[in-house]
Amino acid sequence: MLETHNRRHAFKNEDRAQLETMLRERLEGEVRFEDGDRALYATDASNYRQVPIGVVVPRTVEDVVWTVACCRAVGAPVLARGGGTSLAGQCCNVAVVLDFTKYLNRVISVDPDGMEMVVEPGIVLDQANKAVEQFGLRIGPDPATHDHCTIGGMIGNNSCGMHAQYAGKMEDNIIEMDVLLYDGTRMTVGQTPPDVLAGKLAAGGREGEIYRQLRDLRDRYAPLIRSRYPKIPRRVSGYNLPELLPERHFDLARALVGTESTCAIVLRAQVRLVPDPPYKALLVLGYPSICEAGDHVPEIVKFRPLALEGMDDRLIQDMEKKGMFLTDVAKLPPGKGWLVVQFGGDTEEEARGRARTCKDGIQAPGLTSTLVDKASQEKHIWRVREAGLGATAFIPGHADTFEGWEDSAVPVEKLGSYLRDLRKLFDKYGFDSSTYGHFGQACVHCRIPFNFRTNDGVNQYLAFMDEATDLVVRYGGSFSGEHGDGQSKAMFLPKMYGPELVTAMNEFKAIWDPEDKLNPRKIARPYRVDENLRLGPEYRPHDPHTHFAFAADGFSFAHASQRCVGVGKCRRWEGEEDDGTMCPSFMVTHEEKHSTRGRAHLLFEMLHNQGAIHEGWKSEAVKDALDLCLACKGCKGDCPVNVDMANYKAEFLSHYYEGRVRPRAAYSMGLIYWWARLASMAPWLVNLLGIVPGAKALAGVAPQRSLPKFAPRTFKAWFRTHAPATGEPVLLWVDTFVNHFHPETGQDAVFVLEKLGYRVEVPEMSLCCGRPLYDWGMLDTAKGLLTEVVDALQPYIEAGTPIVGLEPSCVAVFRDELPELLHGDGRAHKLSQQVLVLSEFLQKYVPDTKLPRLGRKALLHGHCHQKAVMKMTAAEAALEKLGVEVSVPEPGCCGMAGSFGFEEEHYDISMKIGEQRLLPAVRKAPSDTLVLADGFSCRTQIEQGTGRRPIHLATLLAMALGKQPPQAVRRPPVAPILALAAVAAGYWLAGRVTGKKIQVGKRRSSLGLESPP
């Protein structure tokens, strides 16, 4: 038993080492007190930042108990954190952070007949729902973060989501919880009927004391609780004192829901399940304005929808400015405000019938409507609604927007009027903000362009919050209808409840946590809303010179490091169905530092003038976190605010390695352009050297990998002998991989383009975009290569000649990195618009009538860079025109990612990433199904991981246009002889290097013990 001393003293830095030592004595989980670990958890998705004391990743419940005991011994506060996506600041504090997500994430039991399940707090909502979907059940509340928020976090915040319309808030779905208090007390809490309560009150010890104190608190404040708490479905602000009332069965589990880890730590939760209607239908309604849509909500609620969401035209305009979901937006009916109404049923006709009944039974001036009853189409509409946060943050040409007043709620019958008054308040302060949200329960979301960086801006923020909270009180609403109070709203609770009830809430907190050590000063006795600001007036980041321009971030790497809003979409778990790629390394490790969010937070701390990381560009913590970044650009395409960690990584490494030697793979694979040119002089010899023992190790290549073989003749050598065709000119960009490894792909592309009536031209000069250099931060060299490219292609740029690239990652360089590295060079900007992948060229320049029908089946894997930068729509359209029946695996990275999967230290994680989605899908594909993958890395991973031989789109098009496959080439018998000679030479060389004699037997070779003379 730990000896507790000086419990009430404020935690001091010198206690950290003592605490870390105590924790390591018995903890099975992980203890992380380094600066980098603390930096990862310094902020959540809010405006606030507090660097924690340290982080503990418990493996067992006993680890949690031991952690709290150690913290109690030295007086350290504790913060039990869920997915870290909270918007009110409740997930950051100067405390020891407990992260349950890595290990304490199991389903303990499922009772489908009783419609309940028992789970650990770290389980992600979607993972929990997967365990019960076979029974047609689900957990009711479903926030927009459903694929990465945890049940523990949902309990802490009293989460809701769109289907709270049908299933209620989290408090309505909790049956029982096992909890741990800071003083070490463990309790099981739930409803307490009178006979059970009598026994609890009569019991001795700490548990009996808690029941008696809560009973007394209830009795003192019951009249105020009944009269002052808003009677609305989305009241999330404040503690749930109504659950202590007799008519609520003195339910301590529900009373603890929404306490934001300030009263108790949840160890286990028994959760109610609700039926999940197997069929859904959407009714989308258009109105002249969002206010008129709000007016109509009470009438629509009468039809008992599963969900009723709203969004305004400003949200749609923001999406259009950012190029988000443009085809999805086009499916909305005419209007400037929309309601999305979902109905369910046991049959498709029942769901559709309910939607039609609503449609036929409502009327409003200017009303338009669309009925959506196909799951695939419904997904498009929901993507528009769920994109709210991403669409309203970092809008080009607009000031940055922030949370702070993002989830107010009012009575449903007053929603339209509240929206009008809220809009007047926005106008008064000059805030051009969109509004959207869960309108069926009158919860309104928005992000506002607050200016936290100046004292005047902070004062304006305070003045706005003062008026906004007054407005909600006048409407009888709640400051928070979903995200909780934390620090951003708790200061205003006396307005909403009056001083007596706020005193009651403080007493409630003190009964559970008398020392105020659980997430202190959040909700109860809170910080002011202008304290602990992440971007306050004192924030003066280091803004260093960079290679990339970061033009979208005002030419500031510091601003780029602020881009992450902490919503955590990058924290996706293996097996989740989604339409995104990021973040492949997190899917394997489940480590915060391997998520896009974690890496962005580390870069932010690195540049912060008072950050947790002090080594700047030489930070090993940042380097370690970026090590497993595959530079796949999945985040650029999938992140709601388009964080581009691939470019951030390249920029960081360029400075980190200044004056340092890079790893072997940087020189063997990063410089492949130059090595390939040398290899082209004797490719057969280089291929033989590749099987020499020790060659892979010397190059930093994993021994399990087969090295790609250099072609006996480069594409350019072939093209020089190729008779030119006639027609409009097209420049074929020949990358290193096509030229030296797969010239047949380039030949197929020439055949296709010529068949379609074009004259193919290829640059005579040896050129390279430098794609492999970015992975190692060799940006000066890459910039030099791109300058050569722009100079060499200037005639084509001026003529506007279309340029077709076959390697998606190279095309992505032209579209993405080129304008950033050569910013200000008009030629670079123009070139970025002229380079297309083959499918884009077909879509833009080739009439459908010129494409034949192939009538095959194909499995299509898109290169990560193509999905992020160019998108896959053109490729899918081209295959549809060819009559190819396409199946697409669940999106994900192949795991190879350039040189990443070849590197010895990354091989295992590379294969784990590939095995998550892509490789099993390829193995399951029938043998007569073509496997399409345009990326060299993707094809290599598929071939080495499954034995299947994938092909490029150019090859498929060549087949469709009648090209015969090449005849097998007979190899001269000298090749195997040379191979044996190379192996023998390798053994001899190994013996010379190791100082050991090599003995070659009939069946095997072995190292002898005799030393050479």
Side-chain angles (χ1 to χ4, degrees):
M1 191 72 178
L2 287 172
E3 181 181 353
T4 303
H5 68 278
N6 197 17
R7 288 185 178 182
R8 295 186 180 277
H9 81 297
F11 187 80
K12 298 182 177 61
N13 287 336
E14 55 264 30
D15 294 325
R16 184 176 290 114
Q18 178 190 357
L19 175 57
E20 182 178 2
T21 299
M22 287 192 296
L23 287 167
R24 293 188 187 280
E25 286 179 6
R26 281 172 41 186
L27 210 71
E28 290 184 41
E30 298 161 20
V31 181
R32 302 174 178 177
F33 274 51
E34 297 297 321
D35 288 347
D37 300 311
R38 298 165 59 227
L40 286 167
Y41 294 83
T43 190
D44 47 15
S46 73
N47 298 319
Y48 301 101
R49 170 186 172 271
Q50 292 174 279
V51 180
I53 295 166
V55 179
V56 171
V57 184
R59 194 180 290 269
T60 64
V61 168
E62 288 68 31
D63 278 353
V64 182
V65 174
W66 176 249
T67 298
V68 173
C70 291
C71 291
R72 186 167 64 249
V74 298
V78 176
L79 165 58
R81 169 170 149 144
T85 61
S86 295
L87 294 170
Q90 57 266 59
C91 281
C92 54
N93 214 325
V94 182
V96 173
V97 173
L98 287 167
D99 185 346
F100 296 108
T101 58
K102 188 174 182 180
Y103 299 120
L104 289 176
N105 55 17
R106 299 176 304 140
V107 172
I108 296 174
S109 65
V110 174
D111 178 6
D113 295 329
M115 297 178 62
E116 60 187 48
M117 69 189 303
V118 179
V119 297
E120 291 179 323
I123 191 168
V124 169
L125 174 60
D126 277 4
Q127 295 292 305
N129 279 332
K130 278 184 179 296
V132 295
E133 64 182 1
Q134 60 183 309
F135 307 113
L137 300 171
R138 55 170 291 167
I139 295 171
D142 57 345
T145 53
H146 52 82
D147 61 355
H148 54 279
C149 69
T150 67
I151 298 296
M154 293 174 66
I155 292 170
N157 283 1
N158 199 3
S159 294
C160 305
M162 66 179 67
H163 287 106
Q165 182 79 32
Y166 155 63
K169 304 188 294 290
M170 201 65 196
E171 69 180 89
D172 304 312
N173 292 274
I174 288 295
I175 301 169
E176 190 175 274
M177 299 193 304
D178 289 346
V179 299
L180 171 69
L181 308 189
Y182 187 80
D183 62 13
T185 303
R186 293 180 64 174
M187 300 172 60
T188 298
V189 295
Q191 287 191 359
T192 318
D195 56 333
V196 176
L197 179 58
K200 296 287 187 182
L201 294 173
R206 175 76 169 116
E207 185 171 352
E209 177 188 10
I210 289 172
Y211 274 91
R212 287 191 294 274
Q213 290 178 335
L214 289 174
R215 186 270 318 270
D216 293 344
L217 179 132
R218 177 201 66 186
D219 291 347
R220 288 198 308 275
Y221 293 102
L224 272 176
I225 292 171
R226 291 188 177 100
S227 63
R228 288 298 301 265
Y229 269 75
K231 306 298 189 296
I232 60 173
R234 283 297 185 111
R235 194 277 308 156
V236 173
S237 282
Y239 289 141
N240 284 330
L241 300 185
E243 297 297 341
L244 301 178
L245 297 172
E247 56 267 33
R248 302 283 186 94
H249 309 291
F250 202 74
D251 195 326
L252 299 196
R254 293 187 177 186
L256 286 173
V257 173
T259 55
E260 299 177 3
S261 187
T262 62
C263 296
I265 297 169
V266 177
L267 304 176
R268 179 195 68 95
Q270 185 178 4
V271 186
R272 182 174 74 99
L273 302 173
V274 298
D276 186 18
Y279 295 93
K280 314 279 195 325
L282 278 188
L283 178 62
V284 187
L285 305 173
Y287 295 85
S289 75
I290 192 64
C291 300
E292 287 163 281
D295 291 335
H296 207 201
V297 164
E299 183 178 349
I300 297 170
V301 168
K302 296 175 185 176
F303 292 88
R304 302 177 64 82
L306 298 179
L308 204 175
E309 303 290 292
M311 51 193 176
D312 69 5
D313 57 330
R314 284 177 171 83
L315 177 65
I316 303 305
Q317 291 166 13
D318 292 344
M319 288 186 186
E320 290 171 345
K321 289 172 186 174
K322 298 182 74 170
M324 295 176 65
F325 306 133
L326 297 182
T327 56
D328 301 332
V329 167
K331 300 180 187 300
L332 296 174
K336 291 189 176 182
W338 293 269
L339 296 179
V340 181
V341 196
Q342 185 185 59
F343 295 90
D346 292 330
T347 65
E348 185 175 342
E349 190 52 44
E350 182 182 3
R352 190 184 298 122
R354 289 178 174 172
R356 281 205 199 98
T357 299
C358 178
K359 180 181 177 180
D360 295 341
I362 57 175
Q363 291 183 350
L367 178 65
T368 62
S369 64
T370 298
L371 181 61
V372 180
D373 54 9
K374 300 295 182 185
S376 58
Q377 296 174 349
E378 182 177 340
K379 181 179 179 181
H380 291 288
I381 300 297
W382 282 132
R383 283 202 305 190
V384 175
R385 164 59 189 88
E386 291 183 348
L389 187 151
T392 56
F394 297 100
I395 306 163
H398 289 253
D400 295 347
T401 59
F402 299 92
E403 59 280 355
W405 188 250
E406 71 285 341
D407 66 326
S408 55
V410 298
V412 172
E413 63 275 11
K414 299 179 180 179
L415 176 59
S417 298
Y418 173 67
L419 288 169
R420 291 179 179 89
D421 284 344
L422 183 61
R423 174 57 54 194
K424 290 177 184 176
L425 189 60
F426 287 160
D427 292 342
K428 175 180 177 179
Y429 283 88
F431 295 150
D432 184 14
S433 175
S434 62
T435 50
Y436 55 98
H438 310 293
F439 278 19
Q441 294 184 323
C443 178
V444 180
H445 292 322
C446 56
R447 283 179 67 90
I448 300 172
F450 297 124
N451 177 9
F452 292 113
R453 294 178 176 86
T454 67
N455 288 317
D456 288 343
V458 172
N459 289 333
Q460 184 194 46
Y461 163 63
L462 290 171
F464 172 84
M465 290 294 289
D466 191 44
E467 290 199 54
T469 50
D470 284 346
L471 177 63
V472 163
V473 169
R474 287 201 304 273
Y475 273 92
S478 175
F479 303 152
S480 174
E482 183 157 35
H483 299 307
D485 298 314
Q487 183 177 342
S488 68
K489 306 183 190 73
M491 165 183 160
F492 299 103
L493 288 177
K495 287 186 180 184
M496 181 173 164
Y497 290 107
E500 297 91 350
L501 276 182
V502 170
T503 298
M505 292 179 191
N506 291 338
E507 292 178 18
F508 179 84
K509 154 78 168 172
I511 290 169
W512 296 100
D513 180 30
E515 296 186 56
D516 193 22
K517 294 297 185 182
L518 293 179
N519 204 12
R521 301 193 63 187
K522 303 298 167 87
I523 301 182
R525 300 182 178 89
Y527 292 104
R528 287 179 52 84
V529 295
D530 54 348
E531 292 182 90
N532 306 318
L533 288 172
R534 184 170 182 251
L535 302 175
E538 295 79 25
Y539 175 61
R540 296 288 185 273
H542 177 51
D543 206 354
H545 170 76
T546 55
H547 298 277
F548 289 109
F550 297 106
D553 289 288
F555 303 95
S556 166
F557 187 57
H559 189 270
S561 76
Q562 303 164 19
R563 181 171 282 270
C564 174
V565 295
V567 72
K569 190 179 178 184
C570 47
R571 288 174 51 93
R572 292 169 56 246
W573 259 251
E574 180 181 353
E576 290 178 357
E577 295 181 7
D578 204 332
D579 55 358
T581 299
M582 72 168 181
C583 186
S585 51
F586 178 83
M587 289 186 221
V588 171
T589 68
H590 296 172
E591 291 281 358
E592 177 73 17
K593 69 178 179 181
H594 295 144
S595 67
T596 304
R597 180 179 76 177
R599 293 170 181 134
H601 284 176
L602 286 171
L603 289 168
F604 175 87
E605 291 292 323
M606 181 189 83
L607 296 175
H608 197 293
N609 56 331
Q610 298 178 358
I613 294 175
H614 312 289
E615 300 82 12
W617 291 122
K618 303 301 180 182
S619 169
E620 291 298 328
V622 178
K623 165 66 166 54
D624 179 59
L626 290 171
D627 182 61
L628 292 190
C629 170
L630 284 77
C632 67
K633 288 190 178 288
C635 48
K636 183 177 178 69
D638 299 343
C639 171
V641 290
N642 309 114
V643 169
D644 189 353
M645 194 53 61
N647 281 10
Y648 301 177
K649 176 183 179 180
E651 187 67 54
F652 174 84
L653 292 179
S654 70
H655 300 279
Y656 176 86
Y657 281 120
E658 284 179 358
R660 293 176 169 177
V661 176
R662 288 174 167 83
R664 289 166 293 165
Y667 303 105
S668 64
M669 290 179 273
L671 304 179
I672 187 63
Y673 167 58
W674 290 274
W675 293 124
R677 292 171 68 185
L678 287 172
S680 67
M681 299 177 183
W684 58 270
L685 177 60
V686 177
N687 289 337
L688 292 176
L689 290 174
I691 62 174
V692 170
K696 293 180 188 176
L698 185 64
V701 174
Q704 302 93 326
R705 287 292 183 192
S706 298
L707 292 174
K709 297 293 188 291
F710 287 94
R713 188 186 189 196
T714 67
F715 169 82
K716 284 196 171 183
W718 171 84
F719 189 78
R720 281 192 287 270
T721 66
H722 177 70
T726 58
E728 290 294 318
V730 171
L731 182 71
L732 184 64
W733 174 259
V734 183
D735 59 88
T736 298
F737 307 106
V738 166
N739 192 33
H740 294 279
F741 295 99
H742 291 296
E744 70 280 1
T745 301
Q747 294 166 18
D748 289 339
V750 171
F751 176 83
V752 169
L753 292 170
E754 290 182 345
K755 274 284 189 178
L756 294 174
Y758 292 91
R759 183 180 80 254
V760 178
E761 299 183 12
V762 173
E764 281 290 329
M765 182 180 176
S766 182
L767 298 170
C768 180
C769 70
R771 174 67 262 172
L773 298 171
Y774 300 90
D775 296 337
W776 302 101
M778 299 179 177
L779 297 184
D780 283 327
T781 306
K783 189 172 183 179
L785 290 177
L786 289 175
T787 300
E788 287 182 2
V789 170
V790 172
D791 290 341
L793 300 188
Q794 183 161 339
Y796 296 98
I797 297 171
E798 292 175 350
T801 304
I803 302 171
V804 175
L806 301 177
E807 172 59 39
S809 62
C810 296
V811 175
V813 167
F814 288 119
R815 300 271 274 270
D816 189 26
E817 284 90 350
L818 171 65
E820 282 286 297
L821 285 175
L822 300 186
H823 186 79
D825 188 331
R827 299 173 303 167
H829 176 72
K830 192 173 180 183
L831 178 58
S832 71
Q833 298 177 317
Q834 284 177 236
V835 181
L836 309 167
V837 291
L838 183 57
S839 58
E840 290 177 317
F841 176 82
L842 296 177
Q843 189 176 57
K844 187 172 183 179
Y845 292 102
V846 178
D848 295 353
T849 54
K850 285 194 172 185
L851 296 178
R853 303 286 290 181
L854 183 61
R856 293 287 299 271
K857 294 182 179 181
L859 184 147
L860 173 65
H861 171 70
H863 189 288
C864 292
H865 290 187
Q866 185 169 355
K867 287 183 286 189
V869 180
M870 291 85 75
K871 311 304 180 186
M872 293 298 295
T873 51
E876 293 168 356
L879 293 170
E880 183 179 353
K881 293 170 187 174
L882 290 167
V884 175
E885 185 180 329
V886 180
S887 61
V888 180
E890 288 185 29
C893 180
C894 72
M896 183 63 83
S899 65
F900 182 92
F902 280 103
E903 296 158 33
E904 187 171 4
E905 63 272 25
H906 293 150
Y907 173 79
D908 287 341
I909 195 166
S910 166
M911 294 308 298
K912 287 178 181 178
I913 291 170
E915 291 292 351
Q916 284 185 326
R917 296 175 177 178
L918 175 61
L919 300 184
V922 172
R923 293 189 195 104
K924 291 177 184 176
S927 58
D928 61 344
T929 296
L930 299 170
V931 179
L932 290 176
D934 283 1
F936 172 79
S937 297
C938 306
R939 293 198 301 274
T940 303
Q941 179 80 315
I942 292 170
E943 188 168 351
Q944 296 192 9
T946 69
R948 294 286 294 267
R949 182 69 62 88
I951 63 173
H952 193 283
L953 176 62
T955 300
L956 182 140
L957 286 163
M959 291 168 52
L961 290 166
K963 184 181 180 186
Q964 296 301 313
Q967 297 297 315
V969 179
R970 292 177 60 87
R971 299 294 181 189
V974 71
I977 298 172
L978 287 172
L980 290 173
V983 172
Y987 279 117
W988 176 84
L989 180 61
R992 301 295 294 177
V993 171
T994 61
K996 297 178 180 180
K997 181 179 179 182
I998 305 241
Q999 297 177 337
V1000 182
K1002 291 182 180 180
R1003 294 180 180 272
R1004 66 185 182 193
S1005 62
S1006 61
L1007 288 174
L1009 300 177
E1010 183 181 337
S1011 299

